[in-house]
Amino acid sequence: ASAMPVTDDFREFVLEQLGRIVAIDWKRMFGGVGLYADGTFFALIDDDVVYFKVGDGNRADFEAAGARAFRPYEGVSSMNYYELPVEILEDVDALRIWTEKSVAVARTAAASKRKKNSSS
């Protein structure tokens, strides 16, 4: 199954919503779109679904919402991205909380990766 394209309308809507909260930037990747908040990669769009980076700080929120893990290919583990519920995407106040948590998780993950690489 090939990755489905992201429609321009959906991408623009997501960028508009997130742009009210953070300085948002995007790049095409894996047939989808990667989203960056202030330069930190924290989310992606695939087949017109938004997936946020998850970690200990926010995984429970996604699981409580019944969100599915992002699996680009069969058999791949979830890669720590979970589907963002549509009702959160449409509600800027809720979206702000979910975005800030996800960006914080992504920053922490990036920082610990850098530490590991520089110490060895």
Coordinates of all heavy atoms in Angstrom, one line a residue, residues 47-117:
D47 N -2.0 11.0 4.3 CA -3.4 10.6 3.8 C -4.4 11.5 4.6 O -5.5 11.0 5.0 CB -3.6 9.1 4.1 CG -4.8 8.6 3.4 OD1 -5.3 9.3 2.5 OD2 -5.3 7.5 3.8
D48 N -4.1 12.8 4.7 CA -5.0 13.8 5.3 C -5.4 13.4 6.8 O -6.5 13.6 7.2 CB -6.3 14.0 4.5 CG -6.0 14.9 3.3 OD1 -4.9 15.3 3.1 OD2 -6.9 15.1 2.5
V49 N -4.4 12.8 7.5 CA -4.6 12.6 8.9 C -3.3 13.2 9.5 O -2.2 13.1 9.0 CB -4.6 11.1 9.3 CG1 -4.7 10.9 10.8 CG2 -5.9 10.5 8.6
V50 N -3.5 13.9 10.7 CA -2.4 14.5 11.4 C -1.9 13.6 12.5 O -2.7 13.0 13.2 CB -2.8 15.9 12.0 CG1 -1.6 16.5 12.7 CG2 -3.3 16.8 11.0
Y51 N -0.6 13.4 12.6 CA 0.0 12.6 13.6 C 0.9 13.4 14.4 O 1.8 14.1 13.9 CB 0.7 11.4 13.0 CG -0.2 10.4 12.3 CD1 -0.4 10.6 10.9 CD2 -0.8 9.3 12.9 CE1 -1.2 9.7 10.2 CE2 -1.6 8.4 12.2 CZ -1.8 8.6 10.9 OH -2.6 7.8 10.2
F52 N 0.8 13.4 15.8 CA 1.7 14.1 16.6 C 2.7 13.2 17.3 O 2.4 12.0 17.6 CB 0.9 14.8 17.8 CG 0.4 16.2 17.4 CD1 0.3 16.6 16.1 CD2 -0.1 17.0 18.4 CE1 -0.1 17.9 15.8 CE2 -0.5 18.3 18.1 CZ -0.5 18.8 16.8
K53 N 3.9 13.7 17.6 CA 4.9 13.0 18.3 C 4.4 12.8 19.8 O 3.8 13.7 20.4 CB 6.2 13.8 18.4 CG 7.3 13.3 19.2 CD 8.2 12.5 18.4 CE 9.4 12.1 19.2 NZ 10.1 11.0 18.5
V54 N 4.5 11.5 20.2 CA 4.1 11.2 21.6 C 5.3 10.7 22.4 O 6.2 10.1 21.9 CB 2.9 10.2 21.7 CG1 1.7 10.8 21.0 CG2 3.3 8.9 21.1
G55 N 5.2 10.9 23.7 CA 6.2 10.4 24.7 C 5.5 10.2 26.0 O 4.3 10.3 26.1
D56 N 6.3 10.1 27.1 CA 5.7 9.9 28.4 C 4.8 11.1 28.8 O 3.9 10.9 29.5 CB 6.8 9.8 29.4 CG 7.6 8.5 29.2 OD1 7.1 7.6 28.5 OD2 8.8 8.4 29.6
G57 N 5.1 12.3 28.3 CA 4.4 13.5 28.7 C 3.0 13.6 28.1 O 2.2 14.3 28.6
N58 N 2.7 12.8 27.0 CA 1.4 13.0 26.4 C 0.7 11.8 25.8 O -0.4 11.8 25.3 CB 1.5 14.1 25.3 CG 2.4 13.7 24.1 OD1 3.2 12.8 24.3 ND2 2.2 14.4 23.0
R59 N 1.4 10.6 26.0 CA 0.8 9.4 25.4 C -0.5 9.1 25.9 O -1.4 8.6 25.2 CB 1.8 8.2 25.6 CG 1.3 7.0 24.8 CD 2.3 5.8 24.9 NE 3.5 6.0 24.1 CZ 4.7 6.3 24.6 NH1 4.9 6.4 25.9 NH2 5.7 6.4 23.8
A60 N -0.7 9.3 27.2 CA -2.0 9.0 27.9 C -3.2 9.7 27.3 O -4.3 9.2 27.1 CB -1.9 9.2 29.4
D61 N -2.9 11.0 26.9 CA -4.0 11.8 26.2 C -4.5 11.1 25.0 O -5.7 11.1 24.7 CB -3.5 13.2 25.9 CG -3.0 14.0 27.1 OD1 -3.4 13.6 28.2 OD2 -2.2 15.0 26.9
F62 N -3.5 10.7 24.2 CA -3.9 10.0 22.9 C -4.6 8.7 23.1 O -5.6 8.4 22.4 CB -2.6 9.9 22.0 CG -2.1 11.2 21.4 CD1 -1.3 12.0 22.2 CD2 -2.5 11.6 20.2 CE1 -0.9 13.2 21.7 CE2 -2.0 12.8 19.6 CZ -1.2 13.6 20.4
E63 N -4.1 7.9 24.0 CA -4.7 6.6 24.3 C -6.1 6.8 24.8 O -7.0 6.1 24.5 CB -3.8 5.8 25.2 CG -2.5 5.3 24.5 CD -1.5 4.6 25.3 OE1 -1.7 4.6 26.6 OE2 -0.6 4.0 24.8
A64 N -6.3 7.8 25.7 CA -7.6 8.1 26.3 C -8.6 8.5 25.2 O -9.8 8.2 25.2 CB -7.5 9.1 27.3
A65 N -8.1 9.1 24.1 CA -8.9 9.6 23.0 C -9.2 8.5 22.0 O -9.9 8.6 21.0 CB -8.3 10.8 22.4
G66 N -8.5 7.3 22.2 CA -8.7 6.2 21.3 C -7.9 6.4 20.0 O -8.2 5.8 19.0
A67 N -6.8 7.2 20.1 CA -6.1 7.6 18.9 C -5.2 6.4 18.4 O -4.7 5.6 19.2 CB -5.2 8.8 19.1
R68 N -5.1 6.2 17.1 CA -4.3 5.1 16.6 C -2.8 5.6 16.4 O -2.6 6.7 16.1 CB -4.9 4.7 15.2 CG -6.2 4.0 15.3 CD -6.7 3.7 13.9 NE -6.5 4.9 13.0 CZ -6.7 4.9 11.7 NH1 -7.1 3.8 11.1 NH2 -6.6 6.0 11.0
A69 N -2.0 4.6 16.5 CA -0.5 4.9 16.3 C -0.3 4.9 14.8 O -1.0 4.3 14.0 CB 0.3 3.8 16.9
F70 N 0.7 5.8 14.4 CA 1.0 5.9 13.0 C 1.9 4.7 12.6 O 2.9 4.5 13.2 CB 1.8 7.2 12.8 CG 2.4 7.3 11.4 CD1 1.5 7.4 10.3 CD2 3.7 7.5 11.2 CE1 2.0 7.5 9.0 CE2 4.3 7.7 9.9 CZ 3.4 7.7 8.8
R71 N 1.4 3.9 11.6 CA 2.2 2.8 11.1 C 2.3 2.9 9.6 O 1.4 2.6 8.9 CB 1.6 1.5 11.4 CG 1.7 1.2 12.9 CD 1.5 -0.3 13.2 NE 1.8 -0.6 14.6 CZ 1.0 -0.3 15.6 NH1 -0.2 0.2 15.4 NH2 1.4 -0.6 16.8
P72 N 3.4 3.5 9.0 CA 3.5 3.8 7.6 C 3.5 2.5 6.8 O 3.0 2.4 5.7 CB 4.8 4.5 7.4 CG 5.6 4.3 8.7 CD 4.6 4.0 9.8
Y73 N 4.0 1.4 7.4 CA 4.1 0.1 6.7 C 3.7 -0.9 7.6 O 3.9 -0.8 8.8 CB 5.5 -0.2 6.2 CG 6.2 1.0 5.6 CD1 7.1 1.7 6.4 CD2 5.9 1.5 4.3 CE1 7.8 2.9 5.9 CE2 6.5 2.6 3.8 CZ 7.4 3.3 4.6 OH 8.0 4.4 4.1
E74 N 3.1 -2.0 7.1 CA 2.7 -3.1 8.0 C 3.9 -3.6 8.8 O 5.0 -3.7 8.2 CB 2.2 -4.3 7.1 CG 0.8 -4.1 6.7 CD -0.2 -3.7 7.8 OE1 -0.3 -4.5 8.8 OE2 -0.9 -2.7 7.8
G75 N 3.7 -3.9 10.0 CA 4.8 -4.5 10.8 C 5.8 -3.5 11.4 O 6.6 -3.9 12.2
V76 N 5.7 -2.2 11.0 CA 6.6 -1.2 11.6 C 6.0 -0.8 12.9 O 4.8 -0.7 13.1 CB 6.6 0.0 10.7 CG1 7.4 1.2 11.4 CG2 7.3 -0.3 9.4
S77 N 6.8 -0.7 13.9 CA 6.3 -0.3 15.2 C 5.8 1.2 15.1 O 6.1 1.8 14.1 CB 7.4 -0.4 16.3 OG 8.4 0.6 16.1
S78 N 5.1 1.7 16.1 CA 4.4 2.9 15.9 C 5.3 4.2 15.7 O 4.7 5.2 15.3 CB 3.5 3.2 17.1 OG 4.3 3.8 18.1
M79 N 6.6 4.1 15.9 CA 7.4 5.3 15.7 C 7.1 6.4 16.6 O 7.5 7.6 16.4 CB 7.3 5.8 14.2 CG 7.9 4.9 13.2 SD 7.6 5.4 11.5 CE 8.0 7.1 11.5
N80 N 6.3 6.2 17.6 CA 5.9 7.2 18.6 C 5.2 8.4 18.0 O 5.3 9.6 18.4 CB 7.2 7.7 19.3 CG 7.6 6.7 20.3 OD1 6.8 5.9 20.9 ND2 8.9 6.7 20.6
Y81 N 4.4 8.2 17.0 CA 3.4 9.2 16.4 C 2.0 8.6 16.5 O 1.8 7.5 16.2 CB 3.8 9.6 15.0 CG 5.0 10.4 14.9 CD1 6.3 9.8 14.8 CD2 4.9 11.8 15.0 CE1 7.4 10.6 14.8 CE2 6.1 12.6 14.9 CZ 7.3 12.0 14.9 OH 8.4 12.8 14.8
Y82 N 1.1 9.5 17.0 CA -0.3 9.0 17.2 C -1.2 10.0 16.4 O -0.9 11.2 16.3 CB -0.7 9.0 18.6 CG -0.4 7.7 19.4 CD1 0.9 7.4 19.7 CD2 -1.4 6.8 19.7 CE1 1.2 6.2 20.4 CE2 -1.1 5.6 20.4 CZ 0.2 5.3 20.7 OH 0.5 4.2 21.4
E83 N -2.3 9.4 15.9 CA -3.3 10.2 15.2 C -3.9 11.3 16.1 O -4.3 11.0 17.3 CB -4.4 9.3 14.7 CG -5.4 9.9 13.9 CD -6.4 8.9 13.4 OE1 -6.1 7.7 13.3 OE2 -7.5 9.4 13.1
L84 N -3.9 12.6 15.6 CA -4.5 13.7 16.4 C -6.0 13.6 16.1 O -6.4 13.7 15.0 CB -3.9 15.0 15.9 CG -4.5 16.2 16.6 CD1 -3.9 16.3 18.0 CD2 -4.2 17.5 15.8
P85 N -6.8 13.5 17.2 CA -8.3 13.5 17.0 C -8.7 14.8 16.2 O -8.3 15.9 16.5 CB -8.8 13.5 18.4 CG -7.7 12.9 19.2 CD -6.5 13.4 18.6
V86 N -9.6 14.6 15.3 CA -10.1 15.7 14.5 C -10.7 16.8 15.3 O -10.6 18.0 15.1 CB -11.1 15.2 13.4 CG1 -11.8 16.4 12.7 CG2 -10.4 14.3 12.4
E87 N -11.4 16.4 16.4 CA -12.1 17.4 17.2 C -11.1 18.3 17.9 O -11.3 19.5 18.2 CB -13.1 16.8 18.2 CG -12.5 15.8 19.2 CD -12.5 14.4 18.7 OE1 -12.5 14.2 17.4 OE2 -12.4 13.5 19.5
I88 N -9.9 17.8 18.2 CA -8.8 18.6 18.8 C -8.3 19.5 17.7 O -8.1 20.7 18.0 CB -7.6 17.7 19.3 CG1 -8.1 16.7 20.3 CG2 -6.5 18.5 19.9 CD1 -8.6 17.2 21.6
L89 N -8.0 19.0 16.5 CA -7.5 19.9 15.4 C -8.4 21.1 15.2 O -8.0 22.2 14.9 CB -7.4 19.0 14.1 CG -6.9 19.8 12.9 CD1 -5.5 20.3 13.1 CD2 -6.9 18.8 11.7
E90 N -9.7 20.9 15.3 CA -10.7 21.9 15.0 C -10.9 22.9 16.2 O -11.5 24.0 16.0 CB -12.0 21.3 14.6 CG -11.9 20.6 13.2 CD -13.1 19.8 12.8 OE1 -14.0 19.6 13.6 OE2 -13.1 19.4 11.6
D91 N -10.4 22.6 17.3 CA -10.6 23.4 18.5 C -9.3 24.0 18.9 O -8.4 23.3 19.5 CB -11.2 22.5 19.6 CG -11.3 23.3 21.0 OD1 -10.8 24.4 21.1 OD2 -12.0 22.7 21.9
V92 N -9.1 25.3 18.6 CA -7.7 25.9 18.8 C -7.3 25.8 20.2 O -6.1 25.6 20.5 CB -7.7 27.3 18.2 CG1 -6.4 28.0 18.6 CG2 -7.8 27.3 16.7
D93 N -8.2 26.0 21.2 CA -7.8 26.0 22.6 C -7.3 24.6 23.0 O -6.2 24.5 23.7 CB -9.0 26.4 23.5 CG -9.3 27.9 23.3 OD1 -8.4 28.7 23.0 OD2 -10.5 28.2 23.4
A94 N -8.0 23.6 22.6 CA -7.5 22.2 22.9 C -6.2 21.9 22.1 O -5.3 21.3 22.6 CB -8.6 21.2 22.5
L95 N -6.2 22.4 20.9 CA -5.1 22.1 20.0 C -3.8 22.7 20.6 O -2.7 22.2 20.5 CB -5.3 22.7 18.6 CG -4.3 22.4 17.5 CD1 -4.1 21.0 17.3 CD2 -4.7 23.1 16.2
R96 N -3.9 23.9 21.2 CA -2.8 24.6 21.8 C -2.1 23.7 22.8 O -0.9 23.5 22.9 CB -3.2 25.9 22.4 CG -2.0 26.6 23.1 CD -2.4 28.0 23.6 NE -2.5 28.9 22.4 CZ -3.6 29.5 21.9 NH1 -4.8 29.2 22.5 NH2 -3.5 30.3 20.9
I97 N -3.0 23.1 23.7 CA -2.4 22.2 24.8 C -1.7 21.0 24.2 O -0.6 20.7 24.6 CB -3.6 21.8 25.7 CG1 -4.2 23.1 26.4 CG2 -3.1 20.8 26.8 CD1 -5.5 22.8 27.1
W98 N -2.4 20.4 23.2 CA -1.8 19.1 22.6 C -0.6 19.5 21.9 O 0.4 18.7 21.9 CB -2.9 18.5 21.7 CG -4.0 17.8 22.5 CD1 -4.8 18.4 23.4 CD2 -4.4 16.4 22.4 NE1 -5.7 17.4 23.8 CE2 -5.5 16.2 23.2 CE3 -3.9 15.3 21.6 CZ2 -6.1 15.0 23.4 CZ3 -4.6 14.1 21.8 CH2 -5.7 13.9 22.6
T99 N -0.6 20.6 21.2 CA 0.6 21.0 20.4 C 1.8 21.3 21.3 O 2.9 20.8 21.1 CB 0.3 22.2 19.5 OG1 -0.8 21.9 18.6 CG2 1.5 22.7 18.7
E100 N 1.6 22.1 22.4 CA 2.7 22.4 23.3 C 3.3 21.2 23.9 O 4.5 21.0 24.0 CB 2.2 23.4 24.3 CG 2.0 24.8 23.7 CD 1.3 25.8 24.6 OE1 0.8 25.4 25.7 OE2 1.2 27.0 24.2
K101 N 2.4 20.2 24.3 CA 2.9 19.0 24.9 C 3.7 18.2 23.9 O 4.8 17.7 24.2 CB 1.8 18.1 25.4 CG 1.2 18.5 26.7 CD 0.1 17.5 27.1 CE -0.5 17.8 28.5 NZ -1.4 16.7 28.9
S102 N 3.2 18.1 22.6 CA 3.9 17.3 21.6 C 5.3 17.9 21.3 O 6.3 17.2 21.1 CB 3.0 17.2 20.4 OG 3.7 16.4 19.4
V103 N 5.3 19.3 21.1 CA 6.5 20.0 20.8 C 7.6 19.8 21.9 O 8.7 19.5 21.7 CB 6.3 21.4 20.5 CG1 7.6 22.2 20.4 CG2 5.5 21.6 19.3
A104 N 7.1 19.8 23.2 CA 8.0 19.6 24.3 C 8.6 18.2 24.3 O 9.8 18.0 24.5 CB 7.2 19.8 25.6
V105 N 7.7 17.2 24.0 CA 8.2 15.8 23.9 C 9.3 15.7 22.7 O 10.3 15.1 22.9 CB 7.0 14.9 23.6 CG1 7.5 13.5 23.1 CG2 6.2 14.7 24.8
A106 N 9.0 16.3 21.6 CA 9.9 16.2 20.5 C 11.2 16.9 20.8 O 12.3 16.4 20.4 CB 9.2 16.9 19.2
R107 N 11.2 18.0 21.5 CA 12.4 18.8 21.9 C 13.2 17.9 22.8 O 14.5 17.8 22.7 CB 12.1 20.1 22.6 CG 11.6 21.1 21.6 CD 12.0 22.5 22.1 NE 11.6 23.4 21.0 CZ 10.5 24.2 21.1 NH1 9.8 24.2 22.2 NH2 10.1 25.0 20.1
T108 N 12.6 17.3 23.8 CA 13.3 16.5 24.7 C 14.0 15.3 24.0 O 15.1 15.0 24.3 CB 12.3 15.9 25.8 OG1 11.7 17.1 26.4 CG2 13.0 15.1 26.9
A109 N 13.2 14.7 23.1 CA 13.8 13.5 22.4 C 15.0 13.9 21.5 O 16.0 13.2 21.5 CB 12.7 12.9 21.5
A110 N 14.9 15.1 20.9 CA 15.9 15.6 20.0 C 17.2 15.9 20.9 O 18.3 15.6 20.5 CB 15.5 16.8 19.3
A111 N 16.9 16.5 22.1 CA 18.1 16.9 22.9 C 18.8 15.6 23.5 O 20.0 15.6 23.5 CB 17.5 17.7 24.1
S112 N 18.0 14.6 23.9 CA 18.6 13.4 24.4 C 19.4 12.6 23.3 O 20.4 12.0 23.6 CB 17.6 12.5 25.1 OG 16.7 12.0 24.1
K113 N 18.9 12.7 22.1 CA 19.6 12.1 21.0 C 20.9 12.8 20.7 O 22.0 12.1 20.6 CB 18.7 12.2 19.7 CG 19.1 11.1 18.7 CD 18.2 11.3 17.4 CE 16.8 10.8 17.6 NZ 15.9 11.0 16.4
R114 N 20.9 14.1 20.7 CA 22.2 14.9 20.6 C 23.2 14.6 21.7 O 24.4 14.4 21.4 CB 21.9 16.4 20.6 CG 21.5 16.9 19.2 CD 21.6 18.4 19.2 NE 20.7 19.1 20.1 CZ 19.5 19.4 19.9 NH1 18.9 19.1 18.7 NH2 18.7 20.0 20.8
K115 N 22.7 14.5 22.9 CA 23.6 14.2 24.0 C 24.3 12.8 23.8 O 25.5 12.7 24.0 CB 22.8 14.1 25.3 CG 23.4 15.1 26.4 CD 22.6 15.0 27.7 CE 21.4 15.9 27.7 NZ 20.2 15.6 28.3
K116 N 23.5 11.8 23.4 CA 24.1 10.5 23.2 C 25.1 10.5 22.1 O 26.2 10.0 22.3 CB 22.9 9.5 22.8 CG 22.7 8.4 23.7 CD 21.6 7.5 23.2 CE 20.3 7.7 23.9 NZ 19.1 7.4 23.1
N117 N 24.9 11.2 21.0 CA 25.8 11.3 19.9 C 27.1 12.0 20.3 O 28.2 11.6 19.9 CB 25.2 11.9 18.7 CG 24.0 11.1 18.1 OD1 23.9 9.9 18.5 ND2 23.2 11.7 17.3

